Amino acid sequence: MAKVPSALLAAGGLVGGYGVARWTKKRQLGGAVLAVAGAAAAQQWRERAGGRAAGALSAAYVAAFAGSHPLARKVGAWPAVFSAAGAVALASWAVADRNA
């Protein structure tokens, strides 16, 4: 069975986590989506690019989540989430998915 690209998992986790939190009004549920997708992406990062790369990409995932909050005050919530998701997806593709 083909695996979902880690770039899609990571971007989907950020977008999906925010969407679930916003539409259900339950931040914890959105956080669960964010965490599960991040863990799945991290597992693929480790398999495809090694532990150091997985650690760096995991840090980028968390930084994108955290950075989207202050960015949202300037550009709006959805543009901030899509920007963060795009940045993480690009990094994930470049490091782990490009040669997979």
Side-chain angles (χ1 to χ4, degrees), residues 38-72:
Q43 181 179 359
Q44 285 193 20
W45 293 331
R46 190 171 31 260
E47 290 171 0
R48 294 178 180 171
R52 283 188 180 190
L57 288 168
S58 295
Y61 185 76
V62 172
F65 167 71
S68 69
H69 290 81
L71 182 61

Side-chain angles (χ1 to χ4, degrees), residues 14-19 21-23 64-86:
L14 290 163
V15 173
Y18 175 70
R22 181 171 179 148
W23 291 314
F65 167 71
S68 69
H69 290 81
L71 182 61
R73 290 188 207 107
K74 296 178 188 242
V75 300
W78 280 112
V81 170
F82 286 131
S83 296

